[in-house]
C-alpha cells in the first residue's frame, strides 16, 4: 500500500527510509516467509505521535499557501 501511494519514490529509497524509521522506532516491520517475501510496516506509538506533528505542519503550510 505504501508503495502505491509513493509511486514516484524508487523501491530502493523507500526500503532505505523505512529501515531507518524502523531503527529509530517510528515504524514496526514484520517480514513474512512467503514467496515472494512479504514485508509489512506500521506506525508505532512514537510514529503516530510524530505523524500528528507532521500533519499540523502540513496544514500550516497549506494555510500559508492559501493566504
Amino acid at each position: 500500500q505504501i508503495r502505491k501511494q509513493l509511486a514516484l519514490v524508487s523501491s530502493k529509497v523507500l526500503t532505505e527510509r523505512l529501515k531507518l524509521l524502523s531503527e529509530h522506532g517510528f515504524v514496526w516491520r514484520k517480514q513474512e516467509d512467503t514467496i515472494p517475501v512479504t514485508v509489512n510496516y506500521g506506525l508505532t506509538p512514537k510514529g503516530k505521535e510524530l505523524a500528528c506533528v507532521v500533519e499540523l505542519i502540513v496544514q500550516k503550510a497549506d494555510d500559508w499557501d492559501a493566504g
Side-chain angles (χ1 to χ4, degrees):
Q1 184 180 14
I2 294 172
R3 183 80 201 112
K4 291 176 186 175
Q5 292 177 350
L6 298 174
L8 298 178
V9 178
S10 73
S11 294
K12 179 183 176 186
V13 170
L14 180 59
T15 301
E16 289 173 355
R17 297 303 185 262
L18 287 169
K19 183 178 178 184
L20 185 63
L21 289 167
S22 178
E23 290 172 358
H24 288 280
F26 293 105
V27 299
W28 53 261
R29 180 183 188 275
K30 181 180 178 187
Q31 181 172 322
E32 297 180 22
D33 294 328
T34 57
I35 299 175
V37 173
T38 301
V39 180
N40 294 302
Y41 293 92
L43 290 175
T44 63
K46 183 178 177 180
K48 289 177 184 176
E49 186 177 343
L50 180 63
C52 291
V53 173
V54 171
E55 187 176 322
L56 288 172
I57 293 169
V58 169
Q59 287 175 356
K60 183 46 90 176
D62 288 346
D63 290 347
W64 288 337
D65 284 343

